Amino acid sequence: MTMILLENVSVKLEGFELNIDKLEVGEGEYLAVLGGSGVGKTLLLYTIAGLIKPYAGRVYIGSIDVTDYPPEKRKVSLVPQDYALFPHMTVIDNISYGLRIRGVPRSVAYEKAKYLARLLRIEEILDRKPDTLSGGEKQRVALARALAVDPKVMLLDEPFNALDPELQMEGLKFLKSLRSKLEFTAIHVTHNIMEALFISDKVGYMAKGKLVGVFGREEFLQTKYSEPYVDLVENLYRELK
Amino acid sequence: MKNPAVKASTFEYITISLSALLLFFIIAPLVSLFMEANPSISVEMIRNQEVINAIEVSLEASILSVTILTVMGVPLAYILARRDFPGKQLVEAFVDLPLVMPHAVAGIMILAAFGSRGLLGGYLQDLGLIIEDNFKGIVIVMAFVSIPLLVDTVKVGFQLIGSSLESVARTLGASEWKAFTTITLPLSFKHILAGALLGWARGLSEVGALLVVAYYPKTVNILILEYLSVYGLKYAATLSAIYALIVLSIFIALRKVASK
Ligand SMILES: Nc1ncnc2c1ncn2[C@@H]1O[C@H](COP(=O)(O)OP(=O)(O)OP(=O)(O)O)[C@@H](O)[C@H]1O
Ligand SMILES: [Mg+2]
């Protein structure tokens, strides 16, 4: 079954246009999206989340046309590029926010938050305010906050770019294991090709406001779009020798 | 890093002396005011019904005006901080208009629009809203002159928070209202309070437009002018000192709350 479907979606901003002819992500599928800086990856996620209204085209989530739905009706969780943790709340209140806003009692919401914090290894910082956290800690809080509401769709905007390699691997493994349990559909934007290949089922590539294509993981490595990423490693290797 | 062993640089010397000069410029009139004020007259004054009434009118009108203004100004500030639309710069210019208008002109404008012989006066009269020499007129004048201070301060507060926090809140299930009340409002509370304080102070200090629109019921500012022309500086200064004491203590107390 198709979980996310975009058809002829156009978003126009001052000086930038996003045009997605077609994007289809199956239920439970994990799509990584690569592409240069400023090509519209974040904008794509915002459009799916309902934070930006396309001026043309339709957006479907779970076969429902949500183009005119407000974000809160879409059951789509976002881990934004800048984390956007609520600065006036402690970590545990950040994580519980989505549940509390739905009227879930505090004790129940806190239980869930603690459970996720344990999984993400942030249980030590639950009582702290976001401005005291490291970049990696903030990202895991943002991830926990997005997961707490059991979303059908997860939109992750470079969720691991502030993590050290060890935590990055842990985060990726965690997300992967969680996926098999919670069965969410995900679009995961990243600049890291290893991350993309490790976690995803498919890899999408964007350029200049367009989705150039969606490929299988191995297939992607055969395309010219993977070249800059591979070159980077090869050049470095050559440099060191 | 400050190092007391190092001699003050020319830069420090100049900045500090200029600042001190400016501070003196503020403090000297304040101190002089209290020295000019006469204790025995002031005892007499705070028992004077006319003075008590004027203080009541000033405080009540300014508090009412800033309350109404906050209810309407916060949404406007929010729109200006969050949205782009054609003509936005014009709207922003209108908001700042009361700031650049001479006070008497502001009074004439209000009279021309809302006065009983003004453009909208007839309709307002039907609604029972007469502004000339009326408490309601004082409230309107005070609100008018305070608009830029409140709206601009609150707008900056909203801009500082940015929209991404609200965006995330929305994706987590919060409606526009919920996102505003649980995220934006608590985070901008200080700015709203600061804006309201500035607006309130501005309203209290207005006299030019009041002379035009609503001389009666007498506000303290009007009474001070009256005392100055009828009884001279000593009386005016004494009333001013009493008023300054009241206003300053409220202002300082609220500032304390705002900075917490
Ligand atoms: N609110 C906005 N108004 C106008 N232009 C915008 C707005 N938001 C983004 N843009 C522009 O749209 C383009 C795409 O932005 P977007 O944030 O989607 O890029 P990105 O692919 O996520 O880049 P990065 O990898 O650096 O995060 C950029 O040129 C950006 O300047
Ligand atoms: Mg981005």
Side-chain angles (χ1 to χ4, degrees), chain A residues 9-239:
Chain A
V9 166
S10 287
V11 175
K12 269 191 183 154
L13 294 174
E14 214 175 313
F16 187 82
E17 232 180 276
L18 176 73
N19 288 299
I20 306 291
D21 297 337
K22 184 159 188 167
L23 170 64
E24 204 174 346
V25 186
E27 188 175 359
E29 206 168 55
Y30 204 110
L31 175 74
V33 173
L34 291 164
S37 220
V39 298
K41 303 183 299 296
T42 296
L43 231 45
L44 172 67
L45 298 188
Y46 271 48
T47 308
I48 297 170
L51 296 167
I52 293 178
K53 273 250 151 77
Y55 94 102
R58 309 309 298 176
V59 178
Y60 300 86
I61 290 170
S63 72
I64 298 169
D65 184 345
V66 298
T67 316
D68 299 317
Y69 279 33
E72 66 269 24
K73 296 266 153 64
R74 296 192 179 200
K75 297 206 170 90
V76 166
S77 267
L78 176 70
V79 180
Q81 199 162 3
D82 60 357
Y83 330 131
L85 299 179
F86 306 134
H88 57 309
M89 298 178 193
T90 58
V91 166
I92 193 163
D93 284 325
N94 264 276
I95 300 175
S96 323
Y97 181 84
L99 292 172
R100 298 285 291 133
I101 211 93
R102 286 169 169 71
V104 174
R106 175 181 299 226
S107 57
V108 179
Y110 273 20
E111 269 319 301
K112 182 82 176 268
K114 283 179 189 156
Y115 164 75
L116 285 166
R118 213 155 31 239
L119 286 179
L120 284 161
R121 301 231 235 138
I122 46 173
E123 70 246 78
E124 306 291 322
I125 59 169
L126 280 175
D127 294 325
R128 299 215 333 237
K129 289 271 180 74
D131 61 354
T132 68
L133 305 180
S134 78
E137 287 167 341
K138 283 181 190 166
Q139 278 189 332
R140 282 174 285 163
V141 176
L143 192 60
R145 182 180 60 180
L147 286 166
V149 295
D150 294 327
K152 282 201 289 186
V153 172
M154 281 282 283
L155 303 174
L156 303 122
D157 203 349
E158 306 186 30
F160 297 133
N161 68 355
L163 299 189
D164 65 54
E166 210 176 313
L167 280 176
Q168 200 175 340
M169 194 30 102
E170 233 175 68
L172 287 169
K173 281 184 180 158
F174 166 74
L175 263 184
K176 222 172 181 173
S177 70
L178 207 65
R179 247 185 85 200
S180 51
K181 257 187 281 179
L182 302 182
E183 298 184 330
F184 55 84
T185 307
I187 300 184
H188 178 133
V189 167
T190 174
H191 287 294
N192 184 336
I193 192 170
M194 318 248 224
E195 189 177 307
L197 294 175
F198 180 84
I199 193 151
S200 70
D201 307 311
K202 286 183 180 162
V203 179
Y205 188 79
M206 286 183 71
K208 290 188 193 151
K210 287 200 157 61
L211 182 66
V212 179
V214 175
F215 311 93
R217 288 187 289 180
E218 273 155 49
E219 190 188 0
F220 180 71
L221 285 172
Q222 313 301 320
T223 67
K224 63 176 189 232
Y225 310 120
S226 68
E227 277 168 20
Y229 299 95
V230 179
D231 280 357
L232 187 74
V233 180
E234 278 179 355
N235 279 333
L236 182 66
Y237 188 66
R238 227 174 292 132
E239 192 83 9

Side-chain angles (χ1 to χ4, degrees), chain B residues 195-218:
Chain B
L197 259 182
L198 283 172
W200 175 70
R202 176 66 190 84
L204 267 184
S205 68
E206 181 56 37
V207 62
L210 285 179
L211 282 171
V212 176
V213 177
Y215 194 93
Y216 301 98
K218 279 182 209 160

Side-chain angles (χ1 to χ4, degrees), chain A residues 49 51 70-72 76-78 80 82 84-89 97-98 101-102 145, chain B residues 84 164-176 178-179 182-184 186-187:
Chain A
L51 296 167
E72 66 269 24
V76 166
S77 267
L78 176 70
D82 60 357
L85 299 179
F86 306 134
H88 57 309
M89 298 178 193
Y97 181 84
I101 211 93
R102 286 169 169 71
R145 182 180 60 180
Chain B
D84 268 320
S164 74
L165 296 181
E166 285 169 32
S167 294
V168 176
R170 297 293 301 280
T171 63
L172 291 168
S175 65
E176 269 176 302
K178 269 272 160 68
T182 59
I183 306 293
T184 314
L187 285 172

Side-chain angles (χ1 to χ4, degrees), chain B:
Chain B
M1 282 291 150
K2 286 225 166 69
N3 187 340
V6 174
K7 245 181 64 185
S9 65
T10 321
F11 177 78
E12 265 180 315
Y13 184 71
I14 291 178
T15 49
I16 290 174
S17 8
L18 286 176
S19 310
L21 198 63
L22 192 63
L23 275 178
F24 175 75
F25 185 61
I26 306 171
I27 293 168
L30 186 68
V31 172
S32 312
L33 175 70
F34 284 103
M35 287 172 64
E36 188 71 33
N38 181 307
S40 65
I41 298 179
S42 70
V43 172
E44 180 190 317
M45 259 183 201
I46 50 178
R47 295 213 189 103
N48 181 338
Q49 197 55 44
E50 190 180 33
V51 171
I52 295 171
N53 286 346
I55 291 175
E56 272 177 14
V57 170
S58 280
L59 290 181
E60 281 173 18
S62 59
I63 289 168
L64 187 60
S65 103
V66 85
T67 307
I68 296 169
L69 186 61
T70 306
V71 171
M72 295 162 74
V74 168
L76 176 57
Y78 186 75
I79 290 173
L80 291 176
R82 286 286 182 274
R83 287 187 196 278
D84 268 320
F85 52 88
K88 180 174 170 181
Q89 281 187 336
L90 195 66
V91 173
E92 284 173 323
F94 278 132
V95 167
D96 286 339
L97 191 77
L99 210 56
V100 295
M101 273 301 143
H103 298 180
V105 178
I108 301 284
M109 286 166 61
I110 293 170
L111 211 53
F114 311 121
S116 54
R117 270 159 299 170
L119 215 55
L120 304 168
Y123 306 106
L124 295 180
Q125 223 159 2
D126 293 342
L127 296 171
L129 190 71
I130 297 168
I131 64 164
E132 285 108 324
D133 288 335
N134 194 301
F135 181 78
K136 292 165 191 160
I138 299 173
V139 174
I140 286 185
V141 164
M142 286 178 166
F144 185 84
V145 297
S146 310
I147 290 171
L149 290 160
L150 180 114
V151 173
D152 289 343
T153 310
V154 177
K155 181 175 83 176
V156 169
F158 288 149
Q159 279 168 339
L160 283 175
I161 298 166
S163 60
S164 74
L165 296 181
E166 285 169 32
S167 294
V168 176
R170 297 293 301 280
T171 63
L172 291 168
S175 65
E176 269 176 302
W177 281 108
K178 269 272 160 68
F180 184 75
T181 52
T182 59
I183 306 293
T184 314
L185 209 52
L187 285 172
S188 57
F189 181 71
K190 266 189 201 173
H191 277 90
I192 294 174
L193 200 60
L197 259 182
L198 283 172
W200 175 70
R202 176 66 190 84
L204 267 184
S205 68
E206 181 56 37
V207 62
L210 285 179
L211 282 171
V212 176
V213 177
Y215 194 93
Y216 301 98
K218 279 182 209 160
T219 41
V220 183
N221 291 337
I222 299 271
L223 199 60
I224 290 170
L225 287 183
E226 210 175 273
Y227 278 15
L228 185 62
S229 62
V230 179
Y231 305 115
L233 181 62
K234 195 151 226 75
Y235 267 79
T238 306
L239 179 52
S240 299
I242 294 171
Y243 189 41
L245 219 56
I246 296 172
V247 171
L248 276 177
S249 43
I250 299 178
F251 198 70
I252 289 168
L254 288 176
R255 274 273 286 252
K256 265 240 164 80
V257 176
S259 64
K260 259 186 198 151

